[in-house]
């Protein structure tokens, strides 16, 4: 099946810093979503971005489908950004299931 | 507009018991998928329901079964619970238009098997 690799696995920042999270995937995809999982386990949708670039406030994402990677940018980080960030994809031509990476655990210190 | 809801929020069972988890999809959605998330891991796909039938299934044993009702809500049943079934169970809903739709997740049910 399709492989999804996220890096780095852990990231510690001071409040106000910027960061880039990466997601590599091993096959063509129809769907790519970024999620933020808060400490209570809720998966919050950040972006639906199978290709192109999107921005939402301090967050932006870029997916280069031809090169099979996606980047999530967080600017001016806040303590509330802490949590685990997941990338998930649906393989083109495969079953309609989201395949998740192992996540990047982000800690933002005050 | 109500999002995806799940019940119960927490559950404690003993080995060998059976459990039923419930999910109501986001308003307007007709497809429900279930995922299992073990501690420190990403969610793993269990199965997907559409038009009251199981349409896709991940690599989970037959002890895991489900149901979808005419109002699109869904249940996940796990029989003969094992310690390894302890996890966060997440329900996601979407509108069945192929794979191009965003999936929205509920808050999850934390299951602890003792």
């Amino acid at each position: 099946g399709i492989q999804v690799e996220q890096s780095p696995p852990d990231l510690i920042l001071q409040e106000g810093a910027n960061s880039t999270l990466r997601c590599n995937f091993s096959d063509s995809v129809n769907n790519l979503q970024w999620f933020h999982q808060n400490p209570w386990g809720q998966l919050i949708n950040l972006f639906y971005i199978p290709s192109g670039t999107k921005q939402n406030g301090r967050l932006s994402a870029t997916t280069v489908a031809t090169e099979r990677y996606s980047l999530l940018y967080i600017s001016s980080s806040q303590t509330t950004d802490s949590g685990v960030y997941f990338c998930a994809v649906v393989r083109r031509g495969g079953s309609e299931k989201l395949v998740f990476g192992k996540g990047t655990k982000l800690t933002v210190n005050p | 507009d109500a999002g995806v809801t799940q019940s119960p929020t927490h559950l404690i069972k003993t080995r060998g018991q059976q459990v039923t988890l419930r999910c109501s999809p986001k308003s307007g959605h007709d497809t429900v998928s279930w995922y299992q998330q073990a501690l420190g891991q990403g969610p793993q796909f269990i199965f997907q329901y559409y038009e009251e039938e199981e349409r896709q299934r991940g690599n989970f044993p037959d002890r895991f079964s489900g149901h979808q009702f005419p109002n699109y809500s869904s249940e996940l049943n796990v029989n003969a619970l094992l310690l390894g079934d302890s996890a966060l169970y997440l329900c996601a809903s979407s509108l069945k238009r192929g794979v191009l739709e965003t999936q929205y997740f509920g808050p999850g049910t934390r299951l602890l098997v003792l």
Side-chain angles (χ1 to χ4, degrees), chain A residues 11-19 58 74-82 106-110:
Chain A
L11 189 57
I12 300 174
L13 302 174
Q14 288 299 120
E15 205 167 20
N18 302 328
S19 61
R58 296 181 297 104
I74 305 174
S75 64
S76 304
S77 57
Q78 302 175 356
T79 57
T80 52
D81 294 332
S82 296
L106 175 64
T107 302
V108 181
N109 293 320

Side-chain angles (χ1 to χ4, degrees), chain B residues 83-101:
Chain B
L83 296 180
D85 295 331
S86 295
L88 177 66
Y89 289 85
L90 295 162
C91 167
S93 77
S94 59
L95 188 59
K96 182 71 174 180
R97 288 179 183 170
V99 299
L100 302 181
E101 290 295 313

Side-chain angles (χ1 to χ4, degrees), chain A residues 31-62:
Chain A
N31 180 347
L32 187 147
Q33 293 184 238
W34 282 97
F35 297 92
H36 174 213
Q37 189 166 44
N38 65 23
W40 298 272
Q42 174 78 59
L43 276 171
I44 300 164
N45 288 62
L46 298 177
F47 294 102
Y48 166 76
I49 188 166
S51 64
T53 298
K54 290 186 177 180
Q55 182 162 3
N56 184 4
R58 296 181 297 104
L59 302 181
S60 63
T62 295

Side-chain angles (χ1 to χ4, degrees), chain A residues 30-31 33 35 37 39-43 45 48 86 90 95-98 100-102, chain B residues 35 37 42-43 45 48 56 88 90 96 98-107 110:
Chain A
N30 279 330
N31 180 347
Q33 293 184 238
F35 297 92
Q37 189 166 44
W40 298 272
Q42 174 78 59
L43 276 171
N45 288 62
Y48 166 76
F86 287 104
V90 174
S95 67
E96 296 176 16
K97 63 176 183 180
L98 279 171
F100 284 76
K102 292 186 176 181
Chain B
Y35 293 79
Q37 187 178 17
F45 176 78
Q48 181 186 78
Q56 308 279 351
L88 177 66
L90 295 162
K96 182 71 174 180
V99 299
L100 302 181
E101 290 295 313
T102 302
Q103 293 195 29
Y104 293 88
F105 282 79
R110 290 194 183 275

Side-chain angles (χ1 to χ4, degrees), chain B residues 3-9 21-24 34-35 88-92 105-109:
Chain B
V4 182
T5 60
Q6 292 186 243
S7 64
T9 56
L21 311 181
R22 295 175 177 82
C23 171
S24 291
W34 287 92
Y35 293 79
L88 177 66
Y89 289 85
L90 295 162
C91 167
F105 282 79
T109 294

Side-chain angles (χ1 to χ4, degrees), chain B residues 68-83:
Chain B
Q68 186 179 34
F69 299 94
N71 67 353
Y72 309 120
S73 66
S74 176
E75 288 182 347
L76 164 65
N77 301 293
V78 187
N79 294 322
L81 284 167
L82 304 174
L83 296 180

